[in-house]
Every structure is written in C-alpha cells, then in structure tokens.
Amino acid sequence: MKRTTTFKEAAKAQACQALATVQVSVNECLTNEKGQGTTEYAILVGVLVVIAILAISMFRPALEQLWSRITDGINSL
C-alpha cells in the first residue's frame, strides 16, 4: 500500500531541497576565483597610491621649488 505524504513531510522535503541548493551556491561562491586577479591589482594600485602620497608629502618643499623654477622659466619666454 502506497503511503500519502502529509503537508509537514512535503514542506520538510522542500526545505531540505532548498537548503541543499543554498549550500551548493555558497560553496560555488567560496571556491570561485574569477575576480582574484582584479582584487590583487586593486590592492597593488592602492598601495602605490599611498606610497606616492607619502613621497609627495616628504619631498613637497623640493617639488615646490622645482615647480616654481619651471613656471619662472616658462614665464620668462
């Protein structure tokens, strides 16, 4: 004799199936390395920007002097 499933059993089966689908999706997202190279380049660019800002702030007086010499040379033409 074939047993009919109750509403609770059917709901439980659907919930288990949904949970399994979510677990597979999460695992795929965690193992996906498509954007890894882009992220590494973004971090590298960020570090270079910080180094450039520090260098400019350290050599600011010399850069201002150089800039003023360049502008004086251009203005004297």
Side-chain angles (χ1 to χ4, degrees), residues 44-58:
L44 179 64
V45 168
V47 169
L48 291 175
V49 166
V50 169
I51 290 171
I53 290 171
L54 290 174
I56 289 171
S57 65
M58 287 177 60

Side-chain angles (χ1 to χ4, degrees), residues 10-50:
K12 184 177 179 181
Q14 284 183 339
C16 288
Q17 180 63 35
L19 181 61
T21 303
V22 169
Q23 286 176 334
V24 168
S25 296
V26 168
N27 286 336
E28 286 175 358
C29 287
L30 292 176
T31 58
N32 186 359
E33 295 182 4
K34 278 185 178 178
Q36 182 178 359
T38 305
T39 305
E40 290 171 355
Y41 283 118
I43 291 171
L44 179 64
V45 168
V47 169
L48 291 175
V49 166
V50 169

Side-chain angles (χ1 to χ4, degrees), residues 51-67:
I51 290 171
I53 290 171
L54 290 174
I56 289 171
S57 65
M58 287 177 60
F59 297 109
R60 185 176 185 152
L63 290 173
E64 287 176 345
Q65 223 176 28
L66 177 65
W67 234 183

